[in-house]
Amino acid sequence: KYKRGIPTKPNRTKTSTASDSVLTNEKTAEWIVNYFNDMSGILLDPCAGKDAFYKHFPNEMRMRCEIKDGLDFFNWDDNNKVEWIITNPPYSIYDLFLLKSFTVANNVVFFVPIAKAFKSNKVQNMVSDYGGLKEIVYMGGGSKHGFAFGFPVGCLYYKKGYKGECKITNAIELKINL
């Protein structure tokens, strides 16, 4: 007889956990920043880690937060708007992080397991209220990018006020060299 395992419980603490520290390798981060090369205005990496994304942003328009450095993104002033957020967010508080990102940026790019885009109706409603999912960039399995899992990962590009179709780009076919 099949026995169900204990279902995972959502993180209701509203704070990230130690398992959220999944660092993006530098080659992947550089490729992502170069892919979204039409960026202008201020760019923010709200969970900079070891600055994999941040160090590839143009110097004159980059900002960062990193909770381990005492710079908590949730303390970011919502009136201090930025044009772009590019990051690998904490997975256990994904919904909260996405909502906060939507309050401060016109363009949000999250490098995450692609399933995060469709994880709940709550997320779909937040995205609809913000604008829309403009593009999904599929980048293969997570282990290819140094993650401890093989789930399909990629960039979810959300744009404020966007109401068009979602483009799906297969970065593997673009022959990315990571």
Side-chain angles (χ1 to χ4, degrees), residues 61-169:
M61 35 187 223
R62 65 183 183 170
M63 302 181 86
R64 68 186 290 281
C65 293
E66 173 52 50
I67 197 162
K68 291 178 183 174
D69 297 338
L71 303 167
D72 188 342
F73 178 54
F74 288 107
N75 292 333
W76 185 273
D77 182 352
D78 290 349
N79 294 314
N80 190 11
K81 305 293 185 192
V82 300
E83 192 59 34
W84 287 84
I85 284 178
I86 298 181
T87 200
N88 176 358
Y91 304 156
S92 73
I93 54 170
Y94 182 85
D95 299 15
L96 293 171
F97 214 86
L98 185 64
L99 185 59
K100 177 68 174 181
S101 297
F102 286 171
T103 65
V104 300
N106 291 321
N107 298 277
V108 175
V109 176
F110 279 2
F111 179 55
V112 294
I114 290 174
K116 291 287 186 185
F118 311 103
K119 70 181 276 294
S120 68
N121 287 331
K122 176 183 170 185
V123 167
Q124 296 307 309
N125 290 334
M126 285 190 326
V127 170
S128 181
D129 290 345
Y130 172 73
L133 181 58
K134 185 171 182 178
E135 185 174 8
I136 298 171
V137 182
Y138 167 68
M139 297 176 67
S143 57
K144 177 179 182 169
H145 302 280
F147 295 161
F149 56 79
F151 301 119
V153 297
C155 295
L156 305 178
Y157 171 27
Y158 301 98
K159 183 162 185 64
K160 188 173 191 168
Y162 181 74
K163 296 297 180 194
E165 293 187 14
C166 178
K167 175 182 175 185
I168 299 177
T169 301

Side-chain angles (χ1 to χ4, degrees), residues 5-26:
I6 298 170
T8 58
K9 295 180 182 176
N11 178 352
R12 299 194 194 284
T13 66
K14 298 185 180 180
T15 58
S16 63
T17 65
S19 65
D20 284 326
S21 188
V22 179
L23 299 177
T24 304
N25 78 48
E26 186 159 335

